[in-house]
Amino acid sequence: MSNQRRLLNRPPKTLEERYFSEIRPQLYERHARHYQYGVRKGITLAEHLDSACQFILTVSRIAGVPEDKRSLLLAATAVHDLNKLDSQQRNVKTLARNREFLREQLEAACVLSFVISDDDFELVRRLIERHSGHHRTDGALFLPEDPVVDRWAAMLTAADLFDLGIPEQERLRKVQTELAVAFNRPSHLFRVRVSEDRGYITALLLRAC
């Protein structure tokens, strides 16, 4: 009975706890053998998605993003490379607007429970499209974008760039450019390696000035 009481009184898992216990293992289960090429040669899709998810968890927390929106950011990040998840190799924009396909991928990544309403699906779609360079292509080109969505999209773009296989100085400059949008102020990024696990961000220090 005492064990039951402790379980009942246990606070809900944090988003980070859910990521490490439920979502991250599934990424490696599905994508650990999916090797990439080009600027991501030598990094599996699992490692890339893991790196991006941990980045988004860290940055969104520092930026003070509400928890319900952090979970949607994480959901979008976990499946942001939709074209790499499609056997037909369709483009990201097409796949992001295919609700059935998007739902399937969110479910497979163990993040569908975060995406509840039509508005949630719409936000996830917009974030995924924006990270891939499809900027405001939903028929509202001449309408102002929500500045909050601009900030969140910049976080996902920065997360996607973080492990890019280009010279480090260029890579950090690209990431910091996106973080300046995300935080609405100039930012400096420092990464300290304490592990050779390329898919695992062991330390990420961000200092805004």
Side-chain angles (χ1 to χ4, degrees), residues 16-28:
E16 283 77 7
E17 288 173 334
R18 290 191 63 179
Y19 175 72
F20 284 106
S21 66
E22 302 169 18
I23 301 165
R24 186 174 187 258
Q26 191 64 20
L27 294 179
Y28 281 92

Side-chain angles (χ1 to χ4, degrees), residues 5-188:
R5 188 176 295 112
R6 281 197 296 269
L7 289 173
L8 290 172
N9 292 333
R10 181 179 178 181
K13 285 184 177 180
T14 66
L15 189 59
E16 283 77 7
E17 288 173 334
R18 290 191 63 179
Y19 175 72
F20 284 106
S21 66
E22 302 169 18
I23 301 165
R24 186 174 187 258
Q26 191 64 20
L27 294 179
Y28 281 92
E29 176 70 23
R30 297 185 67 212
H31 307 303
R33 294 178 179 82
H34 186 145
Y35 293 94
Q36 302 183 101
Y37 50 86
V39 292
R40 300 198 190 279
K41 184 177 180 181
I43 302 175
T44 67
L45 182 57
E47 290 172 323
H48 170 59
L49 294 175
D50 182 24
S51 171
C53 285
Q54 292 195 50
F55 187 100
I56 211 76
L57 284 170
T58 302
V59 172
S60 63
R61 185 177 66 249
I62 293 172
V65 177
E67 283 301 303
D68 61 328
K69 302 306 182 186
R70 289 185 73 216
S71 64
L72 294 174
L73 266 168
L74 179 61
T77 305
V79 299
H80 70 273
D81 282 334
L82 288 174
N83 56 314
K84 298 177 183 178
L85 307 175
D86 179 41
S87 60
Q88 300 178 46
Q89 298 183 327
R90 290 170 289 180
N91 65 43
V92 170
K93 177 181 175 182
T94 297
L95 295 169
R97 297 184 179 206
N98 183 329
R99 177 68 68 87
E100 182 179 355
F101 180 83
L102 180 57
R103 177 184 289 274
E104 289 174 356
Q105 297 308 315
L106 291 168
E107 184 174 20
C110 295
V111 292
L112 181 59
S113 62
F114 299 142
V115 188
I116 300 170
S117 67
D118 286 342
D119 286 344
D120 293 344
F121 272 101
E122 178 65 10
L123 178 57
V124 168
R125 176 193 70 78
R126 291 165 71 186
L127 292 170
I128 292 172
E129 284 192 26
R130 290 283 299 277
H131 112 272
S132 66
H134 296 289
H135 182 63
R136 305 181 192 181
T137 58
D138 54 3
L141 181 63
F142 301 105
L143 297 177
E145 180 67 282
D146 185 339
V148 175
V149 175
D150 279 336
R151 294 179 59 198
W152 295 343
M155 292 179 195
L156 178 49
T157 301
D160 188 46
L161 293 170
F162 190 72
D163 64 352
L164 202 61
I166 59 177
E168 184 167 336
Q169 186 174 1
E170 180 183 357
R171 177 171 56 83
L172 291 180
R173 185 174 67 251
K174 287 177 178 291
V175 173
Q176 288 177 169
T177 297
E178 298 298 332
L179 289 179
V181 176
F183 292 127
N184 197 29
R185 59 180 182 266
S187 300
H188 296 286

Side-chain angles (χ1 to χ4, degrees), residues 31 52 140 202 207:
H31 307 303
T202 52
R207 175 182 164 215

